[in-house]
Each structure stands twice: as structure tokens, then as C-alpha cells.
Amino acid sequence: MSNDNVLQRLAEVVESRRGADPERSYVARLLARGEDAVLKKVGEEATEVVMAAKDGDRARIVAEMADLWFHCLVALAHYGLRPEDVFEELARREGLSGLDEKAARAHDARVDAERR
């Protein structure tokens, strides 16, 4: 299997499970349980990545990161989004300094707050 489009292929699998029988599909079960369940799972997986990293266990970091990315795909699907949406945002940020990007987001948040 080529790595080139693995996230898109996994997103297709996740999408194909939407509305499937929750007794036969983990993704269908998680999506059926709703937003809180999906977000809780993303949080759990992120914590497991941090714990693996703190332990310095490279194989476990990779395995936990794979779990996190998978559950992020489920979260994207829950909100009607796709990996391409994230890729577009990353491409928009490409070539920008991380500090400049963060400052621009803070500025935009201040402007939005002032408009309210």
C-alpha cells in the first residue's frame, strides 16, 4: 500500500462506515454515540501519544500516533470534513513563520471580538 494517499483512503473507509450497523463497525458505533464520544476518544489518544513520548518508546509513539490520526479522521467525518480540508489549511500556512501565523490568528481573534 502506497503512503501517498493513505489518509484519504482511510477517510473513505470511515465515511463508508457512517450509518453502518454499530454492532458490526467500531466507527459506526463511535459516530452513533455522538460528538462527546468522538471528542473524548481523540483526547484519550492524544494523551496516549504524550505518555508514549514521555517514555521514549518509539514504536509505541508510532502506534499511538496512528490511533490518534485515525480518530482525528473520525472526528473530521463527524463534522463533515475531510483530510483535504486540513491539507488546504496546511498549504495556506506553508512558508509562513509559525510565530507569524500565531500572531495573525491572535490579531484575527481580537478583530472578531471587537466586532461583537
Side-chain angles (χ1 to χ4, degrees):
M1 182 184 326
S2 166
N3 290 334
D4 293 347
N5 297 310
V6 70
L7 289 177
Q8 287 97 333
R9 289 193 307 269
L10 282 172
E12 292 296 329
V13 170
V14 168
E15 191 59 39
S16 76
R17 300 302 196 272
R18 181 190 296 279
D21 181 358
E23 296 298 318
R24 299 179 53 91
S25 167
Y26 169 76
V27 170
R29 183 179 317 143
L30 188 56
L31 289 170
R33 290 176 52 209
E35 179 181 58
D36 287 347
V38 171
L39 297 178
K40 180 180 178 187
K41 197 63 186 167
V42 170
E44 288 173 4
E45 297 301 340
T47 299
E48 290 174 6
V49 168
V50 170
M51 292 172 16
K54 292 294 280 181
D55 291 343
D57 185 336
R58 293 170 54 90
R60 205 167 118 237
I61 293 168
V62 169
E64 297 298 350
M65 190 68 71
D67 289 347
L68 174 59
W69 286 11
F70 176 79
H71 286 90
C72 287
L73 290 173
V74 174
L76 286 171
H78 174 78
Y79 293 105
L81 297 166
R82 306 239 340 131
E84 293 81 7
D85 297 306
V86 178
F87 298 154
E88 287 173 15
E89 177 62 13
L90 290 171
R92 184 189 69 76
R93 296 180 186 186
E94 191 172 15
L96 294 176
S97 156
L99 296 174
D100 291 343
E101 172 64 22
K102 188 173 182 176
R105 282 186 276 144
H107 175 265
D108 291 347
R110 282 192 304 276
V111 168
D112 288 344
E114 290 170 2
R115 288 183 184 153
R116 287 185 219 145

